[in-house]
Amino acid sequence: MTESIRFLMCAPDHYDVDYVINPWMEGNIHKSTRDRAVEQWQKLYHIIKDNATVDLVTPAKGWPDMVFTANAGLVLDNKAIVSRFFHKERQGEEPHFKEWFEDNGFAVYELPKDLPFEGAGDALLDREGRWLWAGYGFRSELDSHPYLAKWLDIEVISLRLIDDRFYHLDTCFCPLAGGYLLYYPDAFDFYSNKTIEMRVPPEKRIAIEEADAVNFACNAVNVNSTVIMNKASESLQKRLADAGFSVIQTPLTEFLKAGGASKCLTLRVTEPRIEEAHANVPVESRVIQLKGHLLDAGIMNQALDLIVEGGGSFQVIDFNLGEQRQSTSAARVRVSAPSHEVMEDIFSQLIDLGAIAPPEQVCDAITETVTLAGVAPDDFYVTTIYPTEVRVNNNWVAVQNQRMDGAIVVSGDGTEARCCILRDVQVGDRVVVGVDGIRTNRKVENREQLNKQEFSFMGAGVSSERRVELVVEQIAWELRQIRDRGGKVVITAGPVVIHTGGAKHLSRLIRDGYVQALLGGNAIAVHDIEQALMGTSLGVDMQRGVPVRGGHRHHLKVINSIRRYGSIAEAVKQGFLTKGVMYECVKNNVPFSLAGSIRDDGPLPDTRMDLIQAQTEYSKLIEGAEMILMLSTMLHSIGVGNMTPAGVKMVCVDINPAVVTKLSDRGSVESVGVVTDVGLFLSLLVQQLDRLTSPYPVSQSV
Ligand code: ARG
């Protein structure tokens, strides 16, 4: 027996499964057998006693989980940080454990109220005493970690738990003597696994499979080379033996029903530590401000969700609720992250939601200089569709050419900033990196606008005919207004427009001046011309709706003919092509761009097979657009969406709800989705436009 090693245990006098606060307890209320529990606990007690000294805390009636002394607190040297339980079901244990620590000469530390931390269940010392591994995600709050570091003067490494079956760190993670680590990697997020791998060399990592993990193999007590646990598979026993450990298995099934096993039932009160280890905690905190329709527009939810999903935690410092429907709310939130890297990740997403740093923390944006053409600095800020400003020399500078997925380049004198796609960054360009001094402006979305969006965005399935009609009425009205004030509408269309009989309607729109640019691929042009010249679209007779014999060759004949003319425009000029969408474009001087793809036949001479050139053409044609109609083409619509700043109304029409959802996911109020047949949509649209006499009815003079 090792006299100097001491453990604290609590006899199971009042143990039972009385409530459900973890998945193991589900379906197990009052299902554990008292006699068996007592017998299993006694066995464990004796095994530990053979290896160390065991102290006992008096069990308190009404607190059935008090047997799990690992959750009493965290002990190092003569200091004890008492737990603050997350669930009220266990909060009554706190005074009992506190009393024991005090009676046994520990200096007791207490965390602020409402800052949960569940003791040694979520904080495990490296067995060499080099640092403290601390878990968060379910029971303990990340913000408790800096306290641990400060009070115990030790480096804390935060690990995020993501599987609710492994809600405490000690259920899936067990540091062993000699720098070994027994753990279940799937219980941790990606970043935490990376952290573990950086600290523990591969030959020291004993990663276990789910089958062992659910037997609580990681919930083991390690005393020197002995490892005491509920159960281990043959292979795990062998691996532990190879690493020099002898495994003692002792069944603890009655305690598994409450979600605990040997480690949970003990608290080591003598922990080793090395002198050189000192306080250090990479946990970072920052305060952000949010303003707007935080509740109505769901911004608050989104912000808090993305903090937690990103591996951070938050504390809402204040929330000023706007009381009227039109008034906005403001909130300040403290965000914590386990490292700088994670913080930057979370922060950049918060910026996209419109979050800003509080005035006293605002600083200039940081830039780095490009050293390789077409390659931005690693940490570059990735732009969104929302109007963005960067702070340079104490001034906020509006970013030009806003689009998503670009970098921000600041001019040499710091007076200008613009979005630049990666391939266009030049050596010497100053690119904004990190998350400081950047703010985006999310247009205020209020309840009315959101409801409108919901109404017009036909969420699930195919929209009812009446609803399609209503959306079409609205779009027709806007189209008419834009045309009459000389505005710009861009259409991106797929070949389905032609296959569904929409060619004549789209031609009408172009002829009547409703379209200022057309974007698409090789196919829409090919099938439009095929229909104009041969009456078929992909070999289907457009009058009768049946395939014609040999029709599949039609489009190749058409491509070949246009190739002979050298361009669509030339074919029109020479009187070969006399109707259809492409014809109307040429006749009405509506510029078009056809972007090629791997599956293109031909292609037509006009099709840009150089995609960089095609992207450039597209973005030129989109400039200044007020509305973009996206007609049944996922590929081109997404391409266009990426180049388009917020504020441009996008109408996406597709029979496939998934495409509509994807496009509307830009999260801006301006997007409208219509799930319907595009041919039908266009015909309704033209009808509706015909019905509109004038957008500004002339008032009768008296
Ligand atoms: N029923 C207890 C709870 O959910 C079990 C605690 C297990 N303890 C531990 N250190 N993992 O809190």
Side-chain angles (χ1 to χ4, degrees):
M1 176 170 91
T2 319
E3 288 284 354
S4 57
I5 300 181
R6 305 181 81 90
F7 285 91
L8 176 67
M9 290 182 72
C10 176
D13 300 9
H14 307 297
Y15 170 69
D16 195 3
V17 180
D18 265 1
Y19 43 74
V20 177
I21 56 171
N22 68 50
W24 306 93
M25 298 173 104
E26 250 163 55
N28 273 327
I29 291 202
H30 305 314
K31 289 272 170 62
S32 71
T33 316
R34 168 154 309 271
D35 294 348
R36 203 178 304 146
V38 171
E39 183 198 317
Q40 291 182 344
W41 185 88
Q42 286 289 348
K43 273 206 180 124
L44 175 69
Y45 173 72
H46 288 294
I47 296 168
I48 306 231
K49 257 190 109 157
D50 290 342
N51 292 276
T53 306
V54 181
D55 295 319
L56 289 172
V57 54
T58 318
K61 193 155 190 274
W63 304 108
D65 272 338
M66 207 176 147
V67 283
F68 299 114
T69 50
N71 302 120
L74 172 65
V75 177
L76 186 60
D77 306 328
N78 69 330
K79 297 172 184 166
I81 302 175
V82 270
S83 288
R84 284 235 181 261
F85 284 94
F86 181 82
H87 293 289
K88 63 175 182 332
E89 284 84 346
R90 293 197 66 184
Q91 286 166 358
E93 299 172 35
E94 290 168 17
H96 300 287
F97 287 129
K98 183 179 170 197
E99 192 183 310
W100 187 87
F101 287 128
E102 281 168 351
D103 291 351
N104 285 271
F106 289 93
V108 169
Y109 291 78
E110 283 177 284
L111 288 156
K113 287 234 168 343
D114 299 323
L115 186 56
F117 168 65
E118 297 204 346
D122 264 333
L124 299 167
L125 264 138
D126 164 54
R127 296 252 54 84
E128 314 282 286
R130 294 170 294 182
W131 53 70
L132 182 73
W133 301 99
Y136 70 102
F138 295 105
R139 300 293 186 86
S140 299
E141 198 57 48
L142 180 62
D143 280 327
S144 65
H145 296 180
Y147 288 92
L148 314 182
K150 189 173 82 188
W151 290 338
L152 305 179
D153 191 20
I154 193 159
E155 179 180 9
V156 174
I157 301 167
S158 305
L159 300 175
R160 179 179 175 215
L161 301 165
I162 55 167
D163 180 334
D164 66 353
R165 294 172 304 169
F166 304 103
Y167 56 94
H168 275 143
L169 183 62
D170 68 1
T171 60
C172 49
F173 192 90
C174 182
L176 299 174
Y180 282 94
L181 174 67
L182 176 65
Y183 77 122
Y184 177 53
D186 285 356
F188 298 92
D189 73 358
F190 174 80
Y191 181 80
S192 301
N193 270 299
K194 238 173 61 182
T195 308
I196 295 169
E197 287 160 19
M198 264 155 55
R199 293 281 172 151
V200 185
E203 67 281 7
K204 299 267 170 167
R205 285 183 234 139
I206 306 174
I208 67 169
E209 302 286 332
E210 189 177 15
D212 272 317
V214 294
N215 280 327
F216 273 60
C218 289
N219 198 253
V221 179
N222 171 221
V223 185
N224 304 323
S225 61
T226 306
V227 182
I228 306 153
M229 64 173 77
N230 169 58
K231 200 178 161 133
S233 63
E234 294 280 332
S235 72
L236 177 57
Q237 289 180 48
K238 165 132 191 354
R239 286 168 73 197
L240 284 165
D242 290 348
F245 295 98
S246 61
V247 177
I248 302 179
Q249 300 185 65
T250 183
L252 291 162
T253 50
E254 294 316 296
F255 297 97
L256 251 60
K257 292 174 184 166
S262 59
K263 164 65 175 61
C264 301
L265 290 165
T266 62
L267 173 70
R268 184 160 168 163
V269 290
T270 47
E271 290 281 13
R273 76 174 292 157
I274 48 166
E275 281 310 308
E276 307 88 77
H278 284 300
N280 179 14
V281 55
V283 174
E284 260 191 41
S285 298
R286 294 180 73 148
V287 175
I288 54 145
Q289 289 188 334
L290 283 162
K291 277 203 187 88
H293 294 282
L294 301 184
L295 292 189
D296 282 6
I299 293 180
M300 198 65 188
N301 283 356
Q302 282 180 53
L304 301 185
D305 281 354
L306 78 83
I307 294 170
V308 173
E309 275 155 27
S313 69
F314 63 81
Q315 191 197 346
V316 179
I317 302 172
D318 45 37
F319 189 95
N320 278 318
L321 183 63
E323 283 171 12
Q324 306 285 333
R325 197 160 32 131
Q326 77 284 4
S327 46
T328 54
S329 307
R332 283 188 309 152
V333 180
R334 211 168 79 100
V335 185
S336 302
S339 70
H340 184 66
E341 196 182 332
V342 174
M343 178 60 98
E344 289 225 326
D345 226 43
I346 293 175
F347 220 78
S348 59
Q349 294 177 60
L350 287 169
I351 291 176
D352 302 346
L353 270 185
I356 50 169
E360 65 282 3
Q361 279 174 28
V362 172
C363 52
D364 273 359
I366 302 164
T367 59
E368 256 174 55
T369 307
V370 172
T371 53
L372 186 60
V375 181
D378 280 343
D379 202 16
F380 77 100
Y381 171 78
V382 181
T383 58
T384 62
I385 59 171
Y386 300 103
T388 305
E389 289 174 303
V390 287
R391 196 161 171 277
V392 194
N393 305 330
N394 293 320
N395 288 320
W396 286 103
V397 179
V399 175
Q400 307 295 312
N401 299 338
Q402 191 67 44
R403 58 158 291 153
M404 66 188 258
D405 298 345
I408 298 174
V409 174
V410 176
S411 65
D413 60 0
T415 57
E416 275 172 33
R418 65 188 159 90
C419 267
C420 190
I421 46 178
L422 295 180
R423 62 170 177 262
D424 290 340
V425 298
Q426 303 289 334
V427 174
D429 277 353
R430 284 169 65 198
V431 168
V432 174
V433 296
V435 292
D436 287 310
I438 307 169
R439 65 183 188 196
T440 64
N441 184 4
R442 290 289 290 254
K443 202 173 130 208
V444 200
E445 297 168 15
N446 64 24
R447 186 167 280 281
E448 276 72 36
Q449 283 167 306
L450 279 166
N451 288 347
K452 198 169 99 192
Q453 179 187 24
E454 228 170 82
F455 151 72
S456 46
F457 169 57
M458 321 269 154
V462 181
S463 328
S464 73
E465 262 176 59
R466 180 60 194 140
R467 289 182 95 190
V468 173
E469 271 172 26
L470 288 169
V471 184
V472 167
E473 270 172 33
Q474 186 194 329
I475 296 166
W477 172 257
E478 286 176 44
L479 274 178
R480 176 62 75 89
Q481 282 186 315
I482 296 174
R483 185 193 70 174
D484 291 355
R485 66 170 172 257
K488 181 169 181 180
V489 172
V490 175
I491 287 192
T492 177
V496 177
V497 168
I498 315 296
H499 303 328
T500 55
K504 58 177 178 297
H505 307 302
L506 183 51
S507 304
R508 248 305 277 295
L509 291 180
I510 298 169
R511 198 159 55 235
D512 291 353
Y514 290 107
V515 183
Q516 280 65 48
L518 178 73
L519 310 173
N522 191 56
I524 177 157
V526 168
H527 296 296
D528 167 62
I529 299 171
E530 175 191 342
Q531 195 195 339
L533 296 177
M534 313 183 87
T536 58
S537 178
L538 203 59
V540 174
D541 184 310
M542 290 308 286
Q543 292 300 324
R544 298 181 299 132
V546 291
V548 299
R549 198 184 293 271
H552 64 283
R553 298 201 185 91
H554 287 186
H555 75 281
L556 290 163
K557 295 278 159 77
V558 162
I559 292 169
N560 194 47
S561 307
I562 302 293
R563 290 181 69 86
R564 192 180 308 285
Y565 286 96
S567 73
I568 297 172
E570 198 50 38
V572 172
K573 197 169 152 205
Q574 298 202 22
F576 178 69
L577 181 61
T578 54
K579 60 178 183 191
V581 174
M582 300 317 296
Y583 166 83
E584 295 295 350
C585 283
V586 173
K587 275 289 176 199
N588 296 283
N589 292 319
V590 170
F592 59 84
S593 174
L594 305 175
S597 79
I598 191 79
R599 58 174 294 188
D600 288 344
D601 291 321
L604 289 169
D606 304 71
T607 302
R608 293 269 174 263
M609 298 311 280
D610 176 343
L611 282 182
I612 292 187
Q613 200 188 358
Q615 281 188 350
T616 311
E617 265 184 28
Y618 264 46
S619 71
K620 276 256 149 5
L621 290 177
I622 289 165
E623 258 171 47
E626 287 175 63
M627 185 194 275
I628 301 184
L629 278 178
M630 303 175 154
L631 307 177
S632 286
T633 163
M634 177 155 79
L635 185 66
H636 299 278
S637 301
I638 294 176
V640 166
N642 290 346
M643 303 173 185
T644 311
V648 179
K649 174 146 194 160
M650 301 200 318
V651 178
C652 175
V653 185
D654 207 295
I655 195 77
N656 180 355
V659 175
V660 173
T661 312
K662 195 162 168 63
L663 263 301
S664 302
D665 265 356
R666 290 166 38 108
S668 62
V669 271
E670 301 92 6
S671 328
V672 173
V674 191
V675 179
T676 192
D677 175 276
V678 67
L680 184 71
F681 171 87
L682 284 168
S683 114
L684 286 172
L685 185 60
V686 168
Q687 267 176 41
Q688 192 55 38
L689 283 166
D690 284 344
R691 224 173 279 158
L692 287 174
T693 44
S694 157
Y696 312 111
V698 188
S699 58
Q700 300 276 271
S701 46
V702 205

